[in-house]
């Protein structure tokens, strides 16, 4: 599943290619992904893309009066294709093509169809999915004081807390596990038992790890693909994620895997307290 760094990488690549360009029309080969595709997307006609943004794990194509909100779900991928003649060549899972400036295609492919495309007519910030998202982890709004104050009020495991999109958006399972390892904090610790210093270190490591992953093009190479880019190499830097029974890179103790709220949690019981 693409997490925040992967979506940021995709946004950074498509943005210079699409900003200021015109969506001439779309070819929508399916009626419904996770949700029904709006007629406004199916019948789109000569709409300028003012900007491309990311919010959480959503990609936003900002048009003059409306916004197309794209979520990649589990297996959604975006491709840029250079020749619009390619729109006649497609595979079973190529669900949407946007024809751009009569020379490019933005193609959406999704095997499992858990992704979705929404048409928002109001300010995208008021969208039903976006309005409940907490601050972006890479902005100053997400800082040690903010997380410390929230962690006092919550009595839940720290990993569950940082994965709650209403508290901070876009920290998925990979980056929650990895940032807790770097911070030497056990994922099962109850949030209000962490001291200010630990919270400060955790916030710093969350930002560090997300930035590092963005730099290396993200980590879930099987979930998305971009042309001519050496991407998705961050996984070789994992310390604990999917490393159960392997030896900790720091202390050589076996990494442990447990279940927390139906998500796999990985940690080193010697390095993390
Ligand atoms: Zn260790």
């Amino acid at each position: 599943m693409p997490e925040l760094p992967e979506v940021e990488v995709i946004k950074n690549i498509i943005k210079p290619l699409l900003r200021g360009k015109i969506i001439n029309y779309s070819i929508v080969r399916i009626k419904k992904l996770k949700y029904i595709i709006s007629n406004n997307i199916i019948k789109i006609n000569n709409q300028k893309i003012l900007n491309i943004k990311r919010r959480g794990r959503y990609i936003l194509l900002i048009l003059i009066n409306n916004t197309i909100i794209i979520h990649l779900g589990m297996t959604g991928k975006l491709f840029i294709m250079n020749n619009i003649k390619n729109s006649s060549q497609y595979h079973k899972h190529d669900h949407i093509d946007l024809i751009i400036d009569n020379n490019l295609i933005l193609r959406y492919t999704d095997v499992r169809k858990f992704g979705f495309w929404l048409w928002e007519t109001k300010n995208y910030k008021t969208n039903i999915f976006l309005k409940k998202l907490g601050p972006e982890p890479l902005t100053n709004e997400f800082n040690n004081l903010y997380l410390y104050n929230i962690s006092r009020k919550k009595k839940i495991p720290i990993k569950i807390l940082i994965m709650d999109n209403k508290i901070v958006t876009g920290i998925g399972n990979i980056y929650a596990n990895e940032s807790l390892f770097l911070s030497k904090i056990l994922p099962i610790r109850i949030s209000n038992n962490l001291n200010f210093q630990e919270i400060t270190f955790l916030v710093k490591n969350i930002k560090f790890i997300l930035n590092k992953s963005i730099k290396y093009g993200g980590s879930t190479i099987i979930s998305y693909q971009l042309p001519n880019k050496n991407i998705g190499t961050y996984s070789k830097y994992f310390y604990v994620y999917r490393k159960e029974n392997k030896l900790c890179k720091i202390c050589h103790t076996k990494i442990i895997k447990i279940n927390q709220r139906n998500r796999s949690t990985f940690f080193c019981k010697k390095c993390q307290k």
Side-chain angles (χ1 to χ4, degrees), residues 190-218:
I190 301 301
S191 60
N192 68 342
N193 289 334
L194 271 69
N195 64 35
F196 187 69
Q197 199 181 0
E198 288 174 314
I199 293 280
T200 301
F201 198 36
L202 177 59
V203 168
K204 196 179 138 216
N205 282 320
I206 287 170
K207 290 174 190 275
F208 170 78
I209 256 176
L210 292 174
N211 277 321
K212 188 172 171 188
S213 183
I214 290 166
K215 186 178 152 200
Y216 287 100

Side-chain angles (χ1 to χ4, degrees), residues 181 248 250-253 268 270-271:
F181 175 82
C248 169
I250 308 296
C251 75
H252 308 294
T253 303
C268 170
K270 199 169 170 193
C271 291

Side-chain angles (χ1 to χ4, degrees), residues 69-85:
I69 300 174
I70 303 170
H71 192 285
L72 302 173
M74 301 287 286
T75 53
K77 300 174 189 175
L78 288 169
F79 297 90
I80 299 276
M81 303 167 83
N82 284 322
N83 189 339
I84 60 167
K85 285 182 187 154

